[in-house]
Amino acid sequence: MKVLPLLLVLLSAASLAAETVLFAPDPGPAGQWSVSLPKPGRRSAASIPVPVERIAGKKVMLAAEIEQQDVSAKPNYWNGVKLMLVLNHADGKAGYPQAGNFSGTRPWTPHAVAVTVPADISSARIELALEEVSGTARFRNVRIIEDIPADCRGYRLTGSVDRANAEYRAGEEMKFTFRLTRDGKPASGFLQIVCAGDDGRSETLCRKLDKAGTAVVTRKLARPGFAMAKATLLTAYGTPAQSGGRPIQYGLGGGVAADTLKPGEPEPEDFDAYWVRQKRALAAVPLEVLEKKFVRESKHCLIYDLKIACAGRRPVSGYLAVPRNAKPKSLPLRIFYQGYGIAGAAEQENPDELTFSVNPHGIENGREQAYYIALANGELRSYGFSDRENARPESSYFNGMILRDLRALEFCRTLPEWDGETIHLSGGSQGAFQTVAVAALSDGISSCSLEVPWLCDLGGVNIGRIRGWRPNYRPGLGYFDTVNFAGRVKAPVTIRAGLSDWVCPPSGVWVLYNSLKAPARLTMYQGRDHAVYPAFDERQTPQTTYCK
């Protein structure tokens, strides 16, 4: 048993008791390893064999302290300062878990990576190196220890900005303040804060919380757009602290002249003509129910699993919920479109509405998990992100998705219980994209409800806006950009989104809102990510609603 010296403890918030060291290489008289490169390349400070019998079959952590000077920007996330455990498997494959790293100059700072080591590894080694960067890095206190999660119960990370509506002028300072408490009292510790802006600038900071449990970062934007900052509480090893299986994080954002934001790329000149052709191809396939299976009877509804003929490779699939004893022409219709992922459709029901939940892929619903895992690892792996497919709209994965969405609406209009007038469309993330597309390409829609809309302003990355999580811009994607559909929507639209959404950044949401010509209501929430941060409280967080 070896106790980490008190001087090396960065976080009293996640203080260490004792750690079990499984392997600690000898650094020699210098007490450290050092590596320098005058220009970007690769050089190793050490490649250290690890006795496999000490780590095989165990959950371990490779930990060290690293000091660095003038380390240049890394071309890829896996490059830079390397603290890496190389694991060679019996089948010839290898794993390369490595600690997160940063550019620039930093004092001695803890770094670590946790990994569950397979029982059948044939060999292992520790790599300390610089890769595809220049600069100097030093490593000390390198060791492999048993990974025992820190006790982070009771911690709560929140934040605020110095402007309730998060609106600023160009060049004006934005002040983001993060607060950490434990059991309601200010707590100490270190935060890793990732910052990004629509001016193309980004950086990662490490900030010590003051006696009040706060840390402050400031940002500026010289042009219209948004700046965001996301803070993560760190353990004493420099790894993200967790509570209940989730990182202890919080995010904040502020904007400049959001109402002036326009798409980063113009819409295709033949946008309307393209969709006329696609709708014509859909109409050539007769509307036919291929399968209707009774699923269950709930307190209020009868639920069916449907498959409907459609243009393209797959049919429409989804769950239809019909209220019990519904009379002909008596009920409004609501169609739900789903977010990104590979699963069966989600069952939705309402005793006062007909509801149809559309599977975005036309795959089977209600299957065993292995079925969806096989699709995720095979045919549907990273769907929608293929540069080759997105070069042309006809080959983009989203083309078939929208055709299935349109056919689902067409089918629902034939339901005898529908009142013939009221159609509500709803969806979040990818489902919001589908909602806007269907509303733009259809008449008679009554309302659209959007949560954290995705695929907005795909060309924004070409002018330096925050990338978020979206495909590379390719010519074919212009026909599926949510903002290009927006101006063709006639129904009222409500949007709810976050000022610190790292999947669907706020600039894209605002370009969508600015592009709408129909009545619209946008509510932006402070402290909301794509999935809400652990301490997010909709009742208390600052929020601003805009109407047109």
Side-chain angles (χ1 to χ4, degrees):
M1 192 77 71
K2 180 179 177 182
V3 179
L4 190 66
L6 185 61
L7 290 175
L8 302 183
V9 177
L10 282 185
L11 291 183
S12 61
S15 60
L16 303 176
E19 59 182 29
T20 300
V21 179
L22 302 173
F23 175 69
D26 183 1
Q32 60 183 253
W33 293 268
S34 180
V35 59
S36 295
L37 280 171
K39 61 182 180 179
R42 194 188 196 287
R43 181 174 295 169
S44 178
S47 181
I48 306 165
V50 177
V52 295
E53 67 275 8
R54 301 190 189 182
I55 64 172
K58 296 179 181 179
K59 187 173 183 180
V60 304
M61 184 181 293
L62 171 62
E65 296 158 78
I66 302 175
E67 179 187 57
Q68 61 188 64
Q69 283 89 38
D70 301 323
V71 173
S72 62
K74 52 189 177 182
N76 302 290
Y77 72 87
W78 60 84
N79 300 139
V81 180
K82 307 280 282 190
L83 172 63
M84 182 169 67
L85 184 61
V86 180
L87 301 173
N88 294 305
H89 301 250
D91 62 2
K93 296 181 180 179
Y96 304 92
Q98 68 179 54
N101 60 63
F102 309 96
S103 303
T105 298
R106 287 177 177 258
W108 288 107
T109 305
H111 293 254
V113 58
V115 60
T116 299
V117 180
D120 66 344
I121 60 168
S122 58
S123 65
R125 70 180 188 275
I126 297 170
E127 287 286 341
L128 311 175
L130 290 176
E131 182 179 76
E132 301 304 328
V133 292
S134 60
T136 298
R138 300 181 183 90
F139 306 81
R140 72 183 185 189
N141 200 27
V142 178
R143 63 214 185 276
I144 298 177
I145 61 176
E146 286 190 358
D147 181 21
I148 302 176
D151 180 9
C152 296
R153 289 174 295 181
Y155 285 102
R156 189 169 185 265
L157 182 60
T158 60
S160 62
V161 299
D162 60 332
R163 199 67 61 79
N165 60 10
E167 296 177 7
Y168 297 85
R169 296 187 299 273
E172 189 175 11
E173 184 177 87
M174 307 175 185
K175 184 179 179 181
F176 300 161
T177 302
F178 295 97
R179 295 179 178 83
L180 180 69
T181 60
R182 186 173 195 182
D183 299 326
K185 299 178 181 179
S188 60
F190 277 75
L191 300 179
Q192 176 180 292
I193 304 175
V194 179
C195 304
D198 284 326
D199 55 2
R201 298 175 60 190
S202 63
E203 64 177 331
T204 300
L205 310 170
C206 186
R207 291 290 167 85
K208 183 179 180 180
L209 293 154
D210 60 21
K211 292 181 179 180
T214 65
V216 176
V217 295
T218 58
R219 314 305 295 167
K220 290 182 180 180
L221 280 176
R223 68 188 197 191
F226 284 83
M228 303 193 302
K230 177 167 65 176
T232 302
L233 177 66
L234 299 178
T235 69
Y237 295 106
T239 57
Q242 294 193 0
S243 179
R246 297 184 64 188
I248 300 173
Q249 296 179 321
Y250 201 76
L252 299 167
V256 171
D259 59 344
T260 68
L261 290 172
K262 297 179 180 179
E265 291 284 345
E267 72 173 44
E269 293 182 0
D270 66 337
F271 184 91
D272 290 313
Y274 175 79
W275 283 109
V276 167
R277 293 196 302 273
Q278 294 307 304
K279 290 170 70 175
R280 188 180 299 132
L282 178 61
V285 178
L287 177 60
E288 178 186 359
V289 176
L290 302 176
E291 188 176 285
K292 182 177 182 180
K293 295 190 299 186
F294 176 74
V295 176
R296 65 183 177 90
E297 182 175 359
S298 70
K299 181 179 179 180
H300 301 291
C301 296
L302 303 175
I303 300 173
Y304 302 91
D305 185 359
L306 295 176
K307 289 189 176 69
I308 304 160
C310 186
R313 295 178 56 195
R314 295 196 188 96
V316 175
S317 71
Y319 286 119
L320 172 68
V322 181
R324 297 169 63 182
N325 303 316
K327 297 179 180 179
K329 297 188 178 298
S330 64
L331 294 170
L333 168 67
R334 184 175 298 275
I335 302 179
F336 291 92
Y337 298 107
Q338 292 188 198
Y340 194 99
I342 301 163
E347 293 184 23
Q348 307 276 358
E349 60 176 291
N350 186 326
D352 300 316
E353 294 179 329
L354 289 166
T355 59
F356 190 46
S357 180
V358 183
N359 188 306
H361 309 293
I363 58 179
E364 294 187 34
N365 302 306
R367 286 287 301 271
E368 69 283 0
Q369 190 62 23
Y371 167 77
Y372 302 110
I373 292 174
L375 286 170
N377 292 333
E379 182 183 353
L380 297 183
R381 183 180 180 88
S382 301
Y383 72 84
F385 279 76
S386 168
D387 289 349
R388 177 182 56 79
E389 292 178 356
N390 289 332
R392 298 171 57 251
E394 294 86 354
S395 56
S396 173
Y397 186 82
F398 301 115
N399 192 69
M401 183 182 295
I402 297 305
L403 293 180
R404 288 188 290 274
D405 295 337
L406 291 170
R407 177 50 57 94
L409 172 60
E410 184 183 356
F411 162 76
C412 287
R413 290 184 193 267
T414 69
L415 294 171
E417 298 87 355
W418 177 48
D419 65 14
E421 296 180 358
T422 313
I423 302 174
H424 303 293
L425 306 181
S426 301
S429 191
Q430 177 187 264
F433 146 69
Q434 295 172 83
T435 294
V436 175
V438 173
L441 299 173
S442 309
D443 293 322
I445 306 303
S446 305
S447 73
C448 298
S449 177
L450 315 178
E451 291 279 337
V452 291
W454 189 52
L455 283 186
C456 296
D457 186 32
L458 296 172
V461 297
N462 293 343
I463 57 173
R465 290 177 183 158
I466 297 171
R467 180 177 181 86
W469 185 75
R470 46 188 166 181
N472 296 324
Y473 185 80
R474 292 294 182 268
L477 283 180
Y479 299 84
F480 306 99
D481 195 318
T482 309
V483 305
N484 292 340
F485 288 113
R488 294 162 172 84
V489 174
K490 303 180 183 66
V493 179
T494 60
I495 309 171
R496 290 163 26 110
L499 284 162
S500 182
D501 187 334
W502 293 78
V503 173
C504 301
S507 55
V509 176
W510 263 95
V511 175
L512 169 63
Y513 178 73
N514 293 339
S515 301
L516 289 165
K517 298 175 183 177
R521 179 183 178 91
L522 167 65
T523 302
M524 298 297 295
Y525 292 87
Q526 196 60 265
R528 181 175 183 180
D529 197 356
H530 202 64
V532 297
Y533 294 106
F536 176 79
D537 186 340
E538 186 174 324
R539 298 166 299 177
Q540 297 182 12
T541 190
Q543 53 192 267
T544 305
T545 298
Y546 307 87
C547 298
K548 61 192 297 186

